[in-house]
Amino acid sequence: VLGLFYSRARDDFPLRRQVGGGADGARARQEQPRGNLVHGTPMRFLPEDQRASVQLDPDSLALSHFPPYPGWGRYKALFLLALDHYRHAVAPEGITRASLRYVNRISIESREVTLEDYLLAAPHVPEALRQTMAPFSMEVHIPYSELGAAMRVCAAAPPSGETTVAFELDLSITGDERAQVSFASLEAWLDRAHAANALDAAAGQGL
């Protein structure tokens, strides 16, 4: 399967890297020699500029884009290109799940910040308690019945450095069998999921 995908997509995604080998993903950075694709071993395929990554195994396809984000139109077009190669190589019968995810990471040169200046999706602490917070993690699930989906909103602040404060806002919307997404309707579903994600993230323009 992987070899069939690469033979078709090599002009668009010529670089290959194997996935696995530990939680830190170190092996994912190893270039693979030509013709050495093992069936069932997840692989990443990258364009020449290495700003995107297609992760592929026989049952799934995922596209990630690294900063700078090119905008929804270009990102979607790149995904649909990868999907076209995948469909011709694998000939899947249909779609069981579709998901769109945005991960926003911010690092601020400061020892202390006001959360509400950067995140609307942030924990609320009663005024009677001290307002200085250590690292936190918060997760909320929001149903989107019109999409047959649910949105997961995660806000977190990992341990900060001596002179920096870091935040992460992770938005993902996933449709299961209720969404009844087909190859014919996938692009429209992605546009609607993108609009939902953009609407919920709109207040975070500083992100």
mmCIF file with all atom_site columns, all heavy atoms in Angstrom, residues 144-156:
data_model
loop_
_atom_site.group_PDB
_atom_site.id
_atom_site.type_symbol
_atom_site.label_atom_id
_atom_site.label_alt_id
_atom_site.label_comp_id
_atom_site.label_asym_id
_atom_site.label_entity_id
_atom_site.label_seq_id
_atom_site.pdbx_PDB_ins_code
_atom_site.Cartn_x
_atom_site.Cartn_y
_atom_site.Cartn_z
_atom_site.occupancy
_atom_site.B_iso_or_equiv
_atom_site.pdbx_formal_charge
_atom_site.auth_seq_id
_atom_site.auth_comp_id
_atom_site.auth_asym_id
_atom_site.auth_atom_id
_atom_site.pdbx_PDB_model_num
ATOM 1  N N   . TYR A 1 144 ? -21.725 19.147 18.164 1.00 0.00 ? 144 TYR A N   1
ATOM 2  C CA  . TYR A 1 144 ? -22.130 19.830 16.933 1.00 0.00 ? 144 TYR A CA  1
ATOM 3  C C   . TYR A 1 144 ? -23.010 18.850 16.159 1.00 0.00 ? 144 TYR A C   1
ATOM 4  O O   . TYR A 1 144 ? -22.563 18.183 15.232 1.00 0.00 ? 144 TYR A O   1
ATOM 5  C CB  . TYR A 1 144 ? -20.910 20.246 16.117 1.00 0.00 ? 144 TYR A CB  1
ATOM 6  C CG  . TYR A 1 144 ? -20.316 21.567 16.539 1.00 0.00 ? 144 TYR A CG  1
ATOM 7  C CD1 . TYR A 1 144 ? -19.565 21.672 17.703 1.00 0.00 ? 144 TYR A CD1 1
ATOM 8  C CD2 . TYR A 1 144 ? -20.518 22.726 15.784 1.00 0.00 ? 144 TYR A CD2 1
ATOM 9  C CE1 . TYR A 1 144 ? -19.025 22.884 18.103 1.00 0.00 ? 144 TYR A CE1 1
ATOM 10 C CE2 . TYR A 1 144 ? -19.981 23.936 16.171 1.00 0.00 ? 144 TYR A CE2 1
ATOM 11 C CZ  . TYR A 1 144 ? -19.235 24.011 17.330 1.00 0.00 ? 144 TYR A CZ  1
ATOM 12 O OH  . TYR A 1 144 ? -18.711 25.217 17.728 1.00 0.00 ? 144 TYR A OH  1
ATOM 13 N N   . SER A 1 145 ? -24.280 18.756 16.554 1.00 0.00 ? 145 SER A N   1
ATOM 14 C CA  . SER A 1 145 ? -25.169 17.756 15.973 1.00 0.00 ? 145 SER A CA  1
ATOM 15 C C   . SER A 1 145 ? -25.364 17.958 14.474 1.00 0.00 ? 145 SER A C   1
ATOM 16 O O   . SER A 1 145 ? -25.556 16.988 13.733 1.00 0.00 ? 145 SER A O   1
ATOM 17 C CB  . SER A 1 145 ? -26.529 17.781 16.690 1.00 0.00 ? 145 SER A CB  1
ATOM 18 O OG  . SER A 1 145 ? -27.108 19.071 16.626 1.00 0.00 ? 145 SER A OG  1
ATOM 19 N N   . GLU A 1 146 ? -25.327 19.215 14.015 1.00 0.00 ? 146 GLU A N   1
ATOM 20 C CA  . GLU A 1 146 ? -25.520 19.465 12.586 1.00 0.00 ? 146 GLU A CA  1
ATOM 21 C C   . GLU A 1 146 ? -24.381 18.911 11.741 1.00 0.00 ? 146 GLU A C   1
ATOM 22 O O   . GLU A 1 146 ? -24.524 18.729 10.530 1.00 0.00 ? 146 GLU A O   1
ATOM 23 C CB  . GLU A 1 146 ? -25.671 20.973 12.323 1.00 0.00 ? 146 GLU A CB  1
ATOM 24 C CG  . GLU A 1 146 ? -24.420 21.807 12.557 1.00 0.00 ? 146 GLU A CG  1
ATOM 25 C CD  . GLU A 1 146 ? -24.237 22.228 14.004 1.00 0.00 ? 146 GLU A CD  1
ATOM 26 O OE1 . GLU A 1 146 ? -24.864 21.606 14.890 1.00 0.00 ? 146 GLU A OE1 1
ATOM 27 O OE2 . GLU A 1 146 ? -23.489 23.181 14.240 1.00 0.00 ? 146 GLU A OE2 1
ATOM 28 N N   . LEU A 1 147 ? -23.241 18.622 12.375 1.00 0.00 ? 147 LEU A N   1
ATOM 29 C CA  . LEU A 1 147 ? -22.113 18.022 11.676 1.00 0.00 ? 147 LEU A CA  1
ATOM 30 C C   . LEU A 1 147 ? -21.938 16.549 12.030 1.00 0.00 ? 147 LEU A C   1
ATOM 31 O O   . LEU A 1 147 ? -21.035 15.897 11.514 1.00 0.00 ? 147 LEU A O   1
ATOM 32 C CB  . LEU A 1 147 ? -20.818 18.768 12.023 1.00 0.00 ? 147 LEU A CB  1
ATOM 33 C CG  . LEU A 1 147 ? -20.657 20.185 11.488 1.00 0.00 ? 147 LEU A CG  1
ATOM 34 C CD1 . LEU A 1 147 ? -19.389 20.832 12.058 1.00 0.00 ? 147 LEU A CD1 1
ATOM 35 C CD2 . LEU A 1 147 ? -20.603 20.186 9.970  1.00 0.00 ? 147 LEU A CD2 1
ATOM 36 N N   . GLY A 1 148 ? -22.810 16.045 12.922 1.00 0.00 ? 148 GLY A N   1
ATOM 37 C CA  . GLY A 1 148 ? -22.611 14.682 13.409 1.00 0.00 ? 148 GLY A CA  1
ATOM 38 C C   . GLY A 1 148 ? -21.266 14.554 14.086 1.00 0.00 ? 148 GLY A C   1
ATOM 39 O O   . GLY A 1 148 ? -20.555 13.561 13.930 1.00 0.00 ? 148 GLY A O   1
ATOM 40 N N   . ALA A 1 149 ? -20.923 15.595 14.854 1.00 0.00 ? 149 ALA A N   1
ATOM 41 C CA  . ALA A 1 149 ? -19.560 15.680 15.373 1.00 0.00 ? 149 ALA A CA  1
ATOM 42 C C   . ALA A 1 149 ? -19.548 16.276 16.766 1.00 0.00 ? 149 ALA A C   1
ATOM 43 O O   . ALA A 1 149 ? -20.570 16.739 17.280 1.00 0.00 ? 149 ALA A O   1
ATOM 44 C CB  . ALA A 1 149 ? -18.699 16.532 14.434 1.00 0.00 ? 149 ALA A CB  1
ATOM 45 N N   . ALA A 1 150 ? -18.371 16.260 17.354 1.00 0.00 ? 150 ALA A N   1
ATOM 46 C CA  . ALA A 1 150 ? -18.140 16.905 18.646 1.00 0.00 ? 150 ALA A CA  1
ATOM 47 C C   . ALA A 1 150 ? -16.814 17.642 18.575 1.00 0.00 ? 150 ALA A C   1
ATOM 48 O O   . ALA A 1 150 ? -15.858 17.174 17.944 1.00 0.00 ? 150 ALA A O   1
ATOM 49 C CB  . ALA A 1 150 ? -18.118 15.879 19.778 1.00 0.00 ? 150 ALA A CB  1
ATOM 50 N N   . MET A 1 151 ? -16.777 18.809 19.210 1.00 0.00 ? 151 MET A N   1
ATOM 51 C CA  . MET A 1 151 ? -15.542 19.579 19.281 1.00 0.00 ? 151 MET A CA  1
ATOM 52 C C   . MET A 1 151 ? -14.892 19.359 20.637 1.00 0.00 ? 151 MET A C   1
ATOM 53 O O   . MET A 1 151 ? -15.568 19.354 21.664 1.00 0.00 ? 151 MET A O   1
ATOM 54 C CB  . MET A 1 151 ? -15.791 21.070 19.063 1.00 0.00 ? 151 MET A CB  1
ATOM 55 C CG  . MET A 1 151 ? -14.531 21.931 19.228 1.00 0.00 ? 151 MET A CG  1
ATOM 56 S SD  . MET A 1 151 ? -14.846 23.695 18.977 1.00 0.00 ? 151 MET A SD  1
ATOM 57 C CE  . MET A 1 151 ? -15.076 23.721 17.196 1.00 0.00 ? 151 MET A CE  1
ATOM 58 N N   . ARG A 1 152 ? -13.593 19.179 20.621 1.00 0.00 ? 152 ARG A N   1
ATOM 59 C CA  . ARG A 1 152 ? -12.818 19.076 21.853 1.00 0.00 ? 152 ARG A CA  1
ATOM 60 C C   . ARG A 1 152 ? -11.951 20.319 21.959 1.00 0.00 ? 152 ARG A C   1
ATOM 61 O O   . ARG A 1 152 ? -11.166 20.630 21.054 1.00 0.00 ? 152 ARG A O   1
ATOM 62 C CB  . ARG A 1 152 ? -11.942 17.830 21.830 1.00 0.00 ? 152 ARG A CB  1
ATOM 63 C CG  . ARG A 1 152 ? -11.155 17.578 23.116 1.00 0.00 ? 152 ARG A CG  1
ATOM 64 C CD  . ARG A 1 152 ? -10.432 16.243 23.030 1.00 0.00 ? 152 ARG A CD  1
ATOM 65 N NE  . ARG A 1 152 ? -9.426  16.266 21.984 1.00 0.00 ? 152 ARG A NE  1
ATOM 66 C CZ  . ARG A 1 152 ? -8.118  16.497 22.199 1.00 0.00 ? 152 ARG A CZ  1
ATOM 67 N NH1 . ARG A 1 152 ? -7.680  16.719 23.426 1.00 0.00 ? 152 ARG A NH1 1
ATOM 68 N NH2 . ARG A 1 152 ? -7.265  16.488 21.203 1.00 0.00 ? 152 ARG A NH2 1
ATOM 69 N N   . VAL A 1 153 ? -12.127 21.051 23.049 1.00 0.00 ? 153 VAL A N   1
ATOM 70 C CA  . VAL A 1 153 ? -11.350 22.262 23.296 1.00 0.00 ? 153 VAL A CA  1
ATOM 71 C C   . VAL A 1 153 ? -10.421 21.991 24.472 1.00 0.00 ? 153 VAL A C   1
ATOM 72 O O   . VAL A 1 153 ? -10.889 21.687 25.577 1.00 0.00 ? 153 VAL A O   1
ATOM 73 C CB  . VAL A 1 153 ? -12.253 23.472 23.606 1.00 0.00 ? 153 VAL A CB  1
ATOM 74 C CG1 . VAL A 1 153 ? -11.417 24.725 23.857 1.00 0.00 ? 153 VAL A CG1 1
ATOM 75 C CG2 . VAL A 1 153 ? -13.245 23.700 22.466 1.00 0.00 ? 153 VAL A CG2 1
ATOM 76 N N   . CYS A 1 154 ? -9.132  22.074 24.238 1.00 0.00 ? 154 CYS A N   1
ATOM 77 C CA  . CYS A 1 154 ? -8.143  21.872 25.295 1.00 0.00 ? 154 CYS A CA  1
ATOM 78 C C   . CYS A 1 154 ? -7.315  23.136 25.439 1.00 0.00 ? 154 CYS A C   1
ATOM 79 O O   . CYS A 1 154 ? -6.776  23.650 24.452 1.00 0.00 ? 154 CYS A O   1
ATOM 80 C CB  . CYS A 1 154 ? -7.221  20.703 24.965 1.00 0.00 ? 154 CYS A CB  1
ATOM 81 S SG  . CYS A 1 154 ? -8.052  19.111 24.840 1.00 0.00 ? 154 CYS A SG  1
ATOM 82 N N   . ALA A 1 155 ? -7.234  23.630 26.653 1.00 0.00 ? 155 ALA A N   1
ATOM 83 C CA  . ALA A 1 155 ? -6.365  24.764 26.963 1.00 0.00 ? 155 ALA A CA  1
ATOM 84 C C   . ALA A 1 155 ? -5.398  24.313 28.039 1.00 0.00 ? 155 ALA A C   1
ATOM 85 O O   . ALA A 1 155 ? -5.783  23.636 28.991 1.00 0.00 ? 155 ALA A O   1
ATOM 86 C CB  . ALA A 1 155 ? -7.177  25.957 27.442 1.00 0.00 ? 155 ALA A CB  1
ATOM 87 N N   . ALA A 1 156 ? -4.148  24.684 27.884 1.00 0.00 ? 156 ALA A N   1
ATOM 88 C CA  . ALA A 1 156 ? -3.140  24.224 28.835 1.00 0.00 ? 156 ALA A CA  1
ATOM 89 C C   . ALA A 1 156 ? -2.012  25.233 28.930 1.00 0.00 ? 156 ALA A C   1
ATOM 90 O O   . ALA A 1 156 ? -1.754  25.999 27.999 1.00 0.00 ? 156 ALA A O   1
ATOM 91 C CB  . ALA A 1 156 ? -2.577  22.863 28.417 1.00 0.00 ? 156 ALA A CB  1
#
